[in-house]
């Protein structure tokens, strides 16, 4: 079975690659990842990988975590995975996503960027690594039957 990565106060290449691998597997399962980013929580100094998808609202967070857990369980022995303990799932109403959306002009392409010490639309974040921000998926409302 795969090995969980160790999350530290410093953002590591191991965290970056493990997050990329998870996103690749989520894309392969049509998980509709609208935004994904590592964020350093200022008070706890702990990194969390946040996955934003309209499916979280549609399927419920428990089912979306199960989807991630299934991916982790099926990971190859040489793959590093992010523990569910270090992952947060959210629907499209995520406060960080809203803050970035309100601060960015138009539909700017955002992805694979390190954003440190930012204050956007009233929300401060100490450090962040943004994998993607898919404006089209973020504007979607899915039917419960989807």
């Amino acid at each position: 079975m795969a090995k969980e990565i160790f999350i530290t106060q410093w953002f590591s290449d191991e965290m970056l690659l493990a997050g990329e691998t998870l996103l690749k597997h989520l894309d392969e399962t049509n998980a509709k990842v609208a935004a994904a980013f590592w964020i350093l929580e200022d008070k706890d100094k702990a990194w969390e990988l946040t996955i934003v998808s309209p499916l979280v609202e549609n399927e419920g967070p428990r089912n979306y975590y199960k989807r991630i857990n299934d991916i982790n369980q099926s990971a190859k022995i040489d793959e590093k995975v992010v523990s569910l303990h270090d992952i947060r799932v959210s629907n499209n109403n995520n406060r960080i996503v809203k803050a970035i959306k309100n601060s960015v002009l138009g539909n700017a392409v955002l992805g694979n960027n390190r954003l440190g010490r930012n204050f956007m639309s009233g929300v401060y974040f100490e450090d962040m690594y943004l994998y993607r921000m898919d404006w089209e998926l973020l504007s979607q409302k899915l039917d419960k039957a989807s």
Side-chain angles (χ1 to χ4, degrees):
M1 187 173 131
K3 294 181 184 175
E4 288 182 359
I5 62 171
F6 180 66
I7 305 299
T8 67
Q9 181 177 341
W10 296 273
F11 189 70
S12 69
D13 289 341
E14 196 172 53
M15 292 164 57
L16 175 77
L17 294 173
E20 283 177 349
T21 301
L22 176 59
L23 290 175
K24 179 180 147 236
H25 292 306
L26 284 168
D27 289 343
E28 290 167 355
T29 66
N30 198 25
K32 298 190 184 301
V33 177
F37 51 88
W38 282 99
I39 188 155
L40 179 65
E41 292 297 330
D42 190 35
K43 50 187 161 170
D44 298 336
K45 297 292 183 204
W47 286 93
E48 290 181 347
L49 177 59
T50 301
I51 308 288
V52 178
S53 172
L55 293 180
V56 172
E57 188 168 328
N58 191 48
E59 298 177 351
R62 178 176 281 173
N63 288 329
Y64 207 86
Y65 278 116
K66 183 183 180 322
R67 181 187 293 257
I68 293 170
N69 190 55
D70 291 347
I71 289 169
N72 282 351
Q73 293 294 319
S74 65
K76 296 175 186 160
I77 198 158
D78 61 339
E79 279 184 315
K80 305 261 179 163
V81 297
V82 181
S83 166
L84 284 181
H85 175 74
D86 298 313
I87 298 173
R88 296 292 166 263
V89 300
S90 176
N91 62 26
N92 287 359
N93 292 317
N94 178 277
R95 70 181 181 89
I96 300 293
V97 169
K98 282 182 172 181
I100 293 172
K101 188 174 185 177
N102 291 334
S103 297
V104 174
L105 297 173
N107 289 338
V109 175
L110 293 177
N112 298 320
N113 289 310
R114 185 95 183 251
L115 307 169
R117 297 180 189 244
N118 272 288
F119 201 6
M120 294 185 179
S121 297
V123 177
Y124 175 77
F125 41 92
E126 179 72 21
D127 202 355
M128 173 187 212
Y129 183 86
L130 177 65
Y131 289 106
R132 75 172 70 149
M133 196 71 72
D134 183 326
W135 302 117
E136 187 177 321
L137 260 179
L138 285 167
S139 65
Q140 284 184 2
K141 286 281 187 189
L142 298 178
D143 295 332
K144 291 289 183 186
S146 294

